[in-house]
Amino acid sequence: MKTILLPIYNGIRAKNFFYTDIYRGLTSETDLRLVIVIPPSKLAFYQKEFGKPNVVFEPLEIISESRFGRILSAAAFNFLDTDSVRLKQWWTYLKYGHYGKFLIKRAANLAFSGFKFSRRIIRFLDGFAALVPGVVKMLERYRPNLVIVPDIVFPPDRIFLRAAKRKKFFVLGTIRAWDNLTSKGVIQLLPDKLIVHTHAMKELAVRLADMPEKDIYVSGIPHYDIFFKPPLKPREEFLKMLGIPLERKIVLAAPFLYSHTASSLLIINELTSAVDDGRLPKDTQILVRYRPGTPPIDEKLFRPSQNLTITKPCSQYFPVRNIQMSTKDWEFSPKDLELLMNSLYWSDVTINTMSTLSIDAAVFDKPVINVRFDADPKTPPKHSVSVLLKHDHYKSIEASGGVKRVWNMGEL
């Protein structure tokens, strides 16, 4: 029996793996054992939702890298020559202050980014970062034929990649999301083979991460496979489930940006007001969708309206302690995923600020509006939409013409 080992340390990675044909295919192989290393708090949930005869869930807490590993990771982030990195440097200054640190990071970016030798130095120095003993023990216990790293830039995954490479296991890495190659810093460790979603990402992997072209496979986006064969509800059934009259047109409104919700509240209230006073048609229903990590708004703050429906993106949250998080993480249930797909499929237009929801909507060929203004005049600079307009990955989306941008409430 052959063994594949992989870590799953985040709800997004879990959604993009467990609900795809990849997982169904691997678990159907009778001569294959799949060892999935997970946060201990999620063990019972994963066993219940995704347990299969040839799957072993191994709980392992990963609290931190070594001090040298953390220093190297910080340097690697600042050595990447992209607007997204420079934008995040500025955003960190706005959030935490420390002008001196900001200047040092900016100087490092100016001096070292854009050069292959800088990236080679980072990867050379990574060879001196201490391995996490629990990860080494896991690898030595199972001796996997293949280690899959679902997200080569995510710190817990990088810890597995480091140990697997150091211990001479064959590693297949993937790029989880469209922004990872431009916004997470220099890729510290390269896998033996790399899977990317698109040819644009392949070009970035060669240019920014020095990955040999021959070792990159373009797969498409596996977690959208389910969008093309989903258990979609009939429109009538879906709207009845949410208590929405059948004649209503659906505006899927998700104008949220991280944890600041004051602007989102004002936008949603203005949309329902526009329905009431005739600026929008009377048969318009505002269907609100939060980001999974965004705190919900007190529903008493929404203006009363028969044209407003509020949904929750997910129902499962878990306490998590690892190198990346110290509070809680979310997980999609099958019902949560069904809500997402039906909300998109039966919407007539989608509103968001700067989100993967733009691509989700495009899969179903829905019109997309992106909010490019702060509805709340008291929005702190660190939460302002204007701070986020220069991300490399999103500039490509805007340049494609695939989204409409609005710069004030009247345009919206």
Side-chain angles (χ1 to χ4, degrees):
M1 178 174 286
K2 292 185 177 181
T3 298
I4 295 177
L5 183 144
L6 72 157
I8 297 285
Y9 272 80
N10 178 275
I12 298 175
R13 290 140 191 92
K15 177 181 78 71
N16 293 353
F17 179 68
F18 288 122
Y19 291 103
T20 66
D21 287 341
I22 297 170
Y23 188 63
R24 284 183 283 273
L26 291 174
T27 55
S28 68
E29 298 288 338
T30 56
D31 61 345
L32 177 67
R33 177 176 59 174
L34 197 58
V35 179
I36 305 177
V37 191
I38 60 171
S41 63
K42 297 184 180 184
L43 178 60
F45 173 76
Y46 283 157
Q47 287 176 332
K48 177 177 179 291
E49 294 292 339
F50 309 113
K52 298 288 183 181
N54 65 336
V55 176
V56 179
F57 289 107
E58 279 285 1
L60 178 66
E61 204 84 87
I62 299 179
I63 303 301
S64 179
E65 284 184 285
S66 65
R67 185 170 184 270
F68 177 74
R70 295 194 301 272
I71 293 171
L72 185 64
S73 176
F77 175 80
N78 292 292
F79 280 18
L80 189 66
D81 184 26
T82 65
D83 286 338
S84 289
V85 165
R86 288 182 281 272
L87 191 62
K88 285 189 172 184
Q89 289 176 333
W90 177 242
W91 182 81
T92 301
Y93 167 66
L94 292 175
K95 187 175 182 180
Y96 299 110
H98 306 299
Y99 189 65
K101 288 184 179 180
F102 168 72
L103 289 179
I104 291 172
K105 292 176 182 178
R106 200 57 125 210
N109 185 261
L110 287 170
F112 298 109
S113 69
F115 301 106
K116 185 175 286 190
F117 83 87
S118 301
R119 301 192 290 269
R120 286 176 175 171
I121 290 172
I122 289 291
R123 293 176 190 130
F124 171 76
L125 292 175
D126 197 277
F128 297 95
L131 302 182
V132 173
V135 173
V136 174
K137 288 179 181 178
M138 198 73 70
L139 291 168
E140 292 177 343
R141 176 183 175 187
Y142 286 102
R143 306 298 303 175
N145 303 87
L146 174 67
V147 175
I148 298 177
V149 180
D151 185 349
I152 64 172
V153 300
F154 186 52
D157 288 27
R158 184 175 65 241
I159 287 172
F160 276 86
L161 175 55
R162 177 181 294 134
K165 291 284 287 185
R166 204 89 61 86
K167 296 296 180 178
K168 308 300 182 185
F169 292 99
F170 193 89
V171 182
L172 171 66
T174 71
I175 302 293
R176 178 190 63 81
W178 53 318
D179 68 325
N180 284 184
L181 286 164
T182 57
S183 68
K184 306 298 184 183
V186 168
I187 305 299
Q188 290 178 227
L189 290 151
L190 298 179
D192 296 290
K193 299 288 183 181
L194 180 67
I195 295 176
V196 298
H197 293 160
T198 67
H199 290 282
M201 290 172 68
K202 179 179 180 179
E203 184 275 328
L204 289 171
V206 173
R207 178 165 58 86
L208 297 179
D210 310 308
M211 191 71 193
E213 188 173 359
K214 65 180 179 61
D215 293 327
I216 303 174
Y217 175 74
V218 180
S219 67
I221 307 179
H223 55 269
Y224 285 136
D225 286 355
I226 194 173
F227 278 45
F228 291 91
K229 47 185 175 184
L232 286 171
K233 294 180 180 293
R235 185 178 189 275
E236 180 177 345
E237 182 182 340
F238 177 63
L239 296 188
K240 279 186 175 180
M241 181 185 79
L242 296 179
I244 299 174
L246 300 183
E247 71 277 5
R248 298 280 169 86
K249 298 283 189 178
I250 306 300
V251 175
L252 183 59
F256 299 96
L257 190 66
Y258 303 125
S259 60
H260 182 70
T261 57
S263 283
S264 305
L265 175 64
L266 290 170
I267 287 172
I268 293 165
N269 282 345
E270 186 65 15
L271 289 172
T272 56
S273 176
V275 175
D276 290 343
D277 65 24
R279 285 175 289 159
L280 288 174
K282 295 295 184 183
D283 63 351
T284 303
Q285 190 76 15
I286 309 302
L287 178 60
V288 175
R289 180 177 178 82
Y290 288 96
R291 294 166 61 100
T294 297
I297 299 169
D298 185 345
E299 293 197 13
K300 295 177 183 177
L301 298 177
F302 292 105
R303 64 183 301 278
S305 174
Q306 297 297 315
N307 298 78
L308 177 66
T309 302
I310 300 170
T311 62
K312 296 180 180 178
C314 49
S315 53
Q316 299 279 347
Y317 290 88
F318 298 85
V320 172
R321 287 186 66 222
N322 64 41
I323 185 176
Q324 189 77 2
M325 303 177 187
S326 59
T327 51
K328 64 181 182 179
D329 189 26
W330 54 268
E331 288 283 345
F332 268 134
S333 70
K335 287 187 176 180
D336 297 331
L337 194 58
E338 188 178 89
L339 174 65
L340 169 63
M341 290 190 296
N342 280 280
S343 297
L344 288 162
Y345 189 79
W346 295 118
S347 67
D348 294 279
V349 64
T350 297
I351 298 170
N352 70 83
T353 300
M354 190 186 76
S355 167
T356 306
L357 201 67
S358 292
I359 300 180
D360 296 341
V363 172
F364 285 137
D365 199 26
K366 301 296 177 177
V368 179
I369 297 173
N370 282 174
V371 175
R372 287 292 173 267
F373 64 94
D374 297 312
D376 175 19
K378 297 180 181 178
T379 299
K382 64 184 179 182
H383 292 303
S384 174
V385 172
S386 63
V387 174
L388 300 170
L389 294 184
K390 295 182 180 179
H391 274 298
D392 298 82
H393 67 287
Y394 217 87
K395 286 190 292 185
S396 299
I397 293 294
E398 293 178 339
S400 76
V403 298
K404 297 287 187 182
R405 292 174 290 174
V406 293
W407 301 91
N408 56 60
M409 195 72 77
E411 288 186 3
L412 177 57

